[in-house]
Amino acid sequence: MSRNTNSVLDHTSEELRQAFAREGLERFRADQVLRWVYGQRVRDFRLMSDLARPLRERLYETWSLGCLERESSFESTDGTRKLVLRTHDGAKIESVLIPEPRRQTLCVSSQVGCSLDCSFCATGRLGLGRNLRAGEIVDQVLHGAEVLARSGKEITHVVFMGMGEPLLNLDNVIRSIRILADPRGMGLSPRRVTVSTAGVVPRMAELGRALPVRLTVSLHATTDEVRNELVPLNRRFPIATLLEACRRYPASRRDRLSFEYTLIRGVNDSPDDARRLVKLLHGLRAKVNLIPMNEHPGSAYRRPEAPQIEAFAGTLAAARLPVTVRRSRGDDIFAACGQLGAPAPSHEGQTRLILSDKQKGNALRHR
Ligand code: SF4
């Protein structure tokens, strides 16, 4: 990682051209640098062979090409990988690569920790460290792309479902999506980006007006009493207020709003809950992702038995509400929803720790 915090990754191509111009450099130099970074995945100015050597040295001294260091990587038995990344000020954040036959999704963090303290979520217990800069979000995608490139694949989708509440860092989230969408950057269409919110009502419409991203709302309960417990933000924006904001969300007609619903045994998984959920979402172009609770140490919440999960999904399907039951990905490495920030398990054979090149040396020394 470079010493400089003036990061190329914090800039769209036009912003970088303007920044270079202010430093007396030709604007096209910015395009050359971006081709190396996003096209060739080169992270060292000194290796950019079509730049004159004095320019390479000058850029090396004054700019950085990344702001995160890959500390470790855990691979699940199902192929999911959790990347643990360290920021320049020593904070740890996590991203999760979720490989599927036809899409490669990276789940990114938007904050160090999270202030919302949802009771089923390991990240919430960390509290909020700080907001991530746009470049730090972009860098997560570059790290994910570098890991995937080893198997000849590319990231096709990005979801903001990692650590943090994206709408409480909305300006940087929007900037990062614009930088990722830049044709001279990764060229990732905002339509392949999903932003998840616990229900920060005042900022939902702002996101929808800024970018054609998909919105996912973490609902998790059908009464305010239960949701106040699971998602304390509900005390400020109760279910009726949240669903009213969903009805006003400026989505394209072909997009359905997604609702995440973590199923927790004995808390929100009853037949009455399923019927209430159908009623609450009536009239919305909605689909529901049911997420059987991903258990983690320190949480008393448990996953319902399979028949309860099937019955709940069956009630929604019978009411013609599109529903999927999310297959848990990466829960053996605590990379599944609600598990980020929990200490990674160390049981060998099930989980492999993949070390960054720098750490490989250290690991060898520890043996
Ligand atoms: S579920 Fe999301 S919003 Fe709630 S504490 Fe966890 S990271 Fe924050």
Side-chain angles (χ1 to χ4, degrees), residues 121-122 125 293-300 302 331 334 339 342-345:
C121 173
R125 278 195 253 136
M293 174 72 196
N294 292 307
E295 299 172 11
H296 53 84
S299 172
R302 293 288 165 258
D331 57 348
F334 294 159
Q339 293 181 317

Side-chain angles (χ1 to χ4, degrees), residues 144-341:
E146 284 164 8
V147 170
L148 258 187
R150 292 181 203 148
S151 47
K153 294 179 179 153
E154 291 186 356
I155 289 174
T156 59
H157 293 77
V158 169
V159 296
F160 284 79
M161 295 185 185
M163 302 168 104
E165 162 56 55
L167 298 199
L168 292 180
N169 186 18
L170 185 57
D171 294 349
N172 285 318
V173 165
I174 289 174
R175 273 191 64 71
S176 69
I177 297 169
R178 290 198 169 125
I179 294 167
L180 290 169
D182 195 304
R184 294 180 195 275
M186 289 194 76
L188 183 80
S189 165
R191 298 196 62 78
R192 293 182 168 217
V193 175
T194 299
V195 177
S196 171
T197 181
V200 184
V201 165
R203 307 217 76 179
M204 285 167 58
E206 197 180 329
L207 171 68
R209 282 194 299 269
L211 291 164
V213 294
R214 293 171 191 274
L215 182 70
T216 291
V217 176
S218 301
L219 192 57
H220 305 313
T222 59
T223 66
D224 283 324
E225 191 187 359
V226 175
R227 196 164 191 268
N228 286 345
E229 284 303 309
L230 296 178
V231 185
L233 182 68
N234 194 68
R235 298 196 182 107
R236 286 180 62 199
F237 306 114
I239 291 175
T241 308
L242 173 58
L243 292 180
E244 186 49 38
C246 291
R247 286 177 213 285
R248 290 197 311 265
Y249 185 74
S252 100
R253 288 182 66 79
R254 67 182 175 151
D255 288 341
R256 287 182 185 274
L257 274 181
S258 293
F259 290 87
E260 308 263 305
Y261 193 100
T262 298
L263 276 171
I264 305 172
R265 190 191 305 171
V267 174
N268 63 1
D269 63 341
S270 71
D272 280 348
D273 280 304
R275 286 189 284 270
R276 271 195 299 270
L277 186 54
V278 169
K279 263 193 177 170
L280 283 173
L281 300 185
H282 180 72
L284 268 166
R285 277 180 59 75
K287 63 180 175 186
V288 177
N289 293 323
L290 296 176
I291 309 166
M293 174 72 196
N294 292 307
E295 299 172 11
H296 53 84
S299 172
Y301 293 135
R302 293 288 165 258
R303 180 183 301 217
E305 301 294 342
Q308 261 73 47
I309 298 170
E310 278 167 35
F312 199 102
T315 302
L316 306 192
R320 297 180 178 278
L321 187 54
V323 57
T324 53
V325 179
R326 185 178 297 171
R327 189 162 63 92
S328 186
R329 300 294 305 257
D331 57 348
D332 56 333
I333 54 169
F334 294 159
C337 283
Q339 293 181 317
L340 296 188

Side-chain angles (χ1 to χ4, degrees), residues 19 45 76 109 145 148 263 307:
F45 286 110
S76 163
S109 295
L148 258 187
L263 276 171

